[in-house]
Amino acid sequence: MNKSGAHTVTEFVLLGFPGHWEIQILFFSLFLTVYILTLMGNGAIVCAVRWDQRLHTPMYILLGNFAFLEIWYITSTVPSMLENFLSETKTISFAGCFLQFYFFTSLSTTEVYFLCIMAYDRYLAICHPLHYPTKMTLQHCYTLMSVCWVLGFLSYSLSTVQLSQLTFCGPNIIDHFLCDMDPLMALSCAPAPATEILFYILSSLIIILTMLYILGSYILLLRAVLQVPSAAGQRKAFSTCGSHLAVVCLFFGSLMIMYVSPTSENSGEVQKIITLFYSVVTPFLNPMIYSLRNKEMKAALRKVMGFTSE
């Protein structure tokens, strides 16, 4: 194979989850079910926020946009996984691989930023309730959401371009179910430490700083909750915050294992399982954790689906 020519590899092979045909069909059915349920859960939230005037407040608009984001986030990986389960060649084009890498990293970064402004919104609502209506206006809410989307899609644009400009002259087999930094760097013909260092420094800064901000917001929020005289109010707040923090820890914990701590010692199968947590499991759980347990959201969903005459 010619090692001097750039991009001699025109396609990659995504091994995904190897196994016999029966195992592939089982995986296909499982991930298709999770994908459909995720689309239905998040889609219902988007529709409820869009059609119920009572939910046109900053908190619910944030939840609706977050659900919209989750739909695209899981769509950046699962449809190609489903196709891969039924494919004999399991190939993805050179351009398709880097497009998937860009959209997957951009959407996951946008989700990280969204979790920050959702934590900020809850902090204002609980710790500064009197100032909340003036500080978190609809205009301010839309501005924050726009910043999240723009920053999310700008954050890894340079890294994607740098990665796509590397020379790939074979082999072209990726032991993963998606195109990610580590497996792609392993296939590069020549080492590119600057590209790799830039990516992991950026990832570490984004993940650690946003995680510290979210944890700090919830610590302040919980401190305010402890001052609530009602025991029932405390239990409800702790239950809500605890479930939110559980999902945040699952999401950020798996991100940190993949992009902050060294992953070279982890086997390919371990990396796939870790990636599943933040790419498939959290989008599946988030509607139940953030919205479907909410009384106002459940009432809006019943109205949208025609279960009430209100």
Side-chain angles (χ1 to χ4, degrees):
M1 190 81 66
N2 179 14
K3 294 192 178 185
S4 62
H7 306 334
T8 53
V9 167
T10 59
E11 62 183 16
F12 295 99
V13 177
L14 289 172
L15 292 183
F17 296 94
H20 297 297
W21 177 247
E22 292 79 6
I23 299 297
Q24 297 294 297
I25 294 299
L26 177 63
F27 280 141
F28 176 85
S29 303
L30 174 63
F31 283 102
L32 178 62
T33 302
V34 170
Y35 182 57
I36 291 173
L37 290 175
T38 304
L39 294 185
M40 290 175 61
N42 286 290
I45 292 166
V46 172
C47 292
V49 174
R50 173 67 180 85
W51 291 330
D52 194 320
Q53 295 291 329
R54 294 172 299 181
L55 300 187
H56 291 184
T57 62
M59 184 184 83
Y60 291 109
I61 289 171
L62 284 172
L63 288 173
N65 275 266
F66 186 66
F68 178 75
L69 167 64
E70 293 289 56
I71 291 173
W72 289 107
Y73 181 42
I74 196 170
T75 300
S76 70
T77 56
V78 172
S80 65
M81 288 173 61
L82 296 175
E83 181 184 3
N84 188 280
F85 288 133
L86 303 180
S87 171
E88 293 184 1
T89 59
K90 301 185 182 297
T91 57
I92 183 171
S93 68
F94 186 91
C97 185
F98 286 98
L99 278 174
Q100 184 189 59
F101 172 77
Y102 174 67
F103 280 103
F104 177 66
T105 53
S106 297
L107 289 165
S108 60
T109 307
T110 305
E111 175 158 345
V112 165
Y113 296 149
F114 254 91
L115 288 171
C116 283
I117 61 172
M118 288 166 68
Y120 171 68
D121 174 74
R122 290 300 82 206
Y123 162 75
L124 283 181
I126 293 176
C127 297
H128 301 284
L130 297 179
H131 300 289
Y132 180 76
T134 56
K135 287 190 174 183
M136 185 57 81
T137 61
L138 283 178
Q139 182 179 1
H140 187 49
C141 177
Y142 283 120
T143 300
L144 289 174
M145 291 190 301
S146 300
V147 170
C148 285
W149 282 99
V150 172
L151 284 181
F153 277 80
L154 285 179
S155 295
Y156 288 99
S157 54
L158 177 60
S159 293
T160 304
V161 171
Q162 287 181 320
L163 188 59
S164 67
Q165 296 303 310
L166 299 180
T167 304
F168 298 91
C169 48
N172 66 338
I173 298 175
I174 297 176
D175 187 14
H176 212 315
F177 60 82
L178 55 80
C179 295
D180 207 356
M181 174 60 83
D182 273 350
L184 285 170
M185 286 298 302
L187 296 181
S188 174
C189 296
T195 299
E196 197 166 10
I197 289 170
L198 173 65
F199 177 83
Y200 284 107
I201 288 177
L202 181 61
S203 298
S204 299
L205 286 173
I206 291 173
I207 293 169
I208 293 172
L209 291 178
T210 53
M211 184 182 67
L212 290 175
Y213 178 84
I214 292 169
L215 291 177
S217 299
Y218 276 104
I219 288 171
L220 293 174
L221 191 152
L222 289 172
R223 190 177 69 176
V225 167
L226 288 173
Q227 299 172 0
V228 174
S230 166
Q234 285 187 359
R235 282 196 301 271
K236 181 180 178 182
F238 274 120
S239 172
T240 301
C241 293
S243 58
H244 287 191
L245 281 174
V247 174
V248 166
C249 290
L250 176 67
F251 182 68
F252 277 94
S254 52
L255 280 177
M256 290 188 71
I257 293 172
M258 286 299 297
Y259 300 113
V260 178
S261 63
T263 59
S264 56
E265 296 181 359
N266 295 331
S267 67
E269 297 305 314
V270 171
Q271 292 194 29
K272 292 175 197 177
I273 293 171
I274 294 170
T275 305
L276 279 178
F277 277 111
Y278 66 85
S279 64
V280 177
V281 175
T282 52
F284 172 69
L285 292 177
N286 279 339
M288 295 177 278
I289 298 299
Y290 284 100
S291 300
L292 300 183
R293 298 174 64 201
N294 181 285
K295 184 166 44 175
E296 289 80 9
M297 181 64 75
K298 286 192 286 189
L301 288 171
R302 284 195 294 268
K303 180 181 177 184
V304 167
M305 290 185 289
F307 292 153
T308 64
S309 57
E310 185 180 350

